[in-house]
Amino acid sequence: MTQSRDTWNKVTELNHPEGFLLGPVNAATWLRDPRHMGFMLARYKFAAKMMRRCQAILEVGCGEGLGAFMLVRDTPARVLGVDFDEAQILYAQREVAPHGRGRLSFLCGDATTEAQAAGPFDGLVCLDVIEHVDQKEEARFLENCVSVLKPGAVAIFGTPNIASDAFASPPSRAGHINLFDPDRFVSTLEGHFSHVFPFSMNDEMVHTGFAKMAHYLLALCVRQGG
């Protein structure tokens, strides 16, 4: 055996001993457009940086829980992921939560109808969700999100820019029933938070450039008080 092969064998012994399978939704995304997985993970990386001092984080619309897992790994917080898709929550509870260092849990619930969990939380993450919320249910959805936050809590919202809809995949277009332009995104959130700091995103790059040309919109929000 060569020295190179011997060294590599030692490296493989250090790898995680357990296998891990993506859930059906993320597996389909990976097979259909692997670049999109990179974009999604970059959004959660940004969110985790903004939540680095939080102790309790609620993710609304967590899906299969990969983002919530990143929040656990990159913050000291207890993280609760909520989604109304029972199949995705069952996957997250079975496959993701056991790797969450005892700080990760998942709950099936609908934030468009009622506040999720008792709280209070000092952080909230809601990425790629509000565009799936009917505009008639938007205000109630945001009220329910804010109601479980401590005064001074921080929240991250993210959604595709309506300008990027022309380039969206058919599955995305089918689900995107409430798209935002930058101005409406900020003004909507300002109706629920005392401070809203807008950011833009193109591919994996978060920036403060010309928002109308961004593919994706992000906002760091602060609840009044604290």
Side-chain angles (χ1 to χ4, degrees):
M1 180 183 296
T2 65
Q3 184 63 43
S4 299
R5 181 63 180 270
D6 182 58
T7 300
W8 181 249
N9 287 342
K10 293 176 182 177
V11 171
T12 60
E13 292 173 1
L14 300 175
N15 288 338
H16 201 289
E18 301 177 38
F20 182 80
L21 296 177
L22 290 174
V25 174
N26 283 308
T29 299
W30 175 255
L31 293 171
R32 184 173 58 243
D33 185 3
R35 294 174 302 171
H36 185 77
M37 289 288 287
F39 305 156
M40 179 191 74
L41 295 175
R43 295 164 194 166
Y44 279 100
K45 180 181 177 181
F46 173 79
K49 291 287 187 183
M50 299 299 103
M51 304 274 158
R52 68 188 185 281
R53 294 185 179 176
C54 290
Q55 298 300 309
I57 298 173
L58 173 66
E59 184 183 4
V60 177
C62 65
E64 292 176 340
L66 292 189
F69 177 74
M70 287 186 66
L71 296 172
V72 163
R73 293 301 297 262
D74 292 348
T75 75
R78 168 180 60 87
V79 178
L80 173 63
V82 176
D83 201 291
F84 63 21
D85 188 318
E86 184 176 0
Q88 294 197 61
I89 288 295
L90 288 174
Y91 164 83
Q93 290 172 334
R94 184 181 67 249
E95 303 293 343
V96 182
H99 302 286
R101 301 179 174 180
R103 295 187 283 113
L104 179 59
S105 57
F106 296 96
L107 176 70
C108 191
D110 187 351
T112 64
T113 60
E114 59 184 357
Q116 300 301 301
F121 298 89
D122 57 355
L124 181 139
V125 175
C126 186
L127 299 176
D128 295 294
V129 176
I130 199 168
E131 68 271 16
H132 300 283
V133 176
D134 190 280
Q135 196 164 351
K136 297 188 294 295
E137 300 169 345
E138 176 187 291
R140 178 74 181 275
F141 172 79
L142 290 169
E143 289 166 4
N144 288 336
C145 288
V146 174
S147 69
V148 296
L149 297 179
K150 293 180 178 180
V154 295
I156 298 285
F157 287 85
T159 189
N161 188 352
I162 194 171
S164 68
D165 184 55
F167 309 101
S169 67
S172 292
R173 279 185 158 183
H176 291 177
I177 59 175
N178 185 24
L179 288 168
F180 289 76
D181 63 29
D183 293 335
R184 187 168 84 86
F185 185 53
V186 172
S187 64
T188 297
L189 293 171
E190 285 178 334
H192 299 270
F193 293 91
S194 58
H195 297 86
V196 176
F197 303 95
F199 294 85
S200 301
M201 195 169 186
N202 290 79
D203 292 347
E204 297 91 348
M205 179 64 69
V206 177
H207 59 85
T208 57
F210 188 53
K212 293 185 185 299
M213 293 182 66
H215 297 154
Y216 195 82
L217 308 173
L218 285 163
L220 172 64
C221 308
V222 182
R223 187 181 182 187
Q224 188 171 6

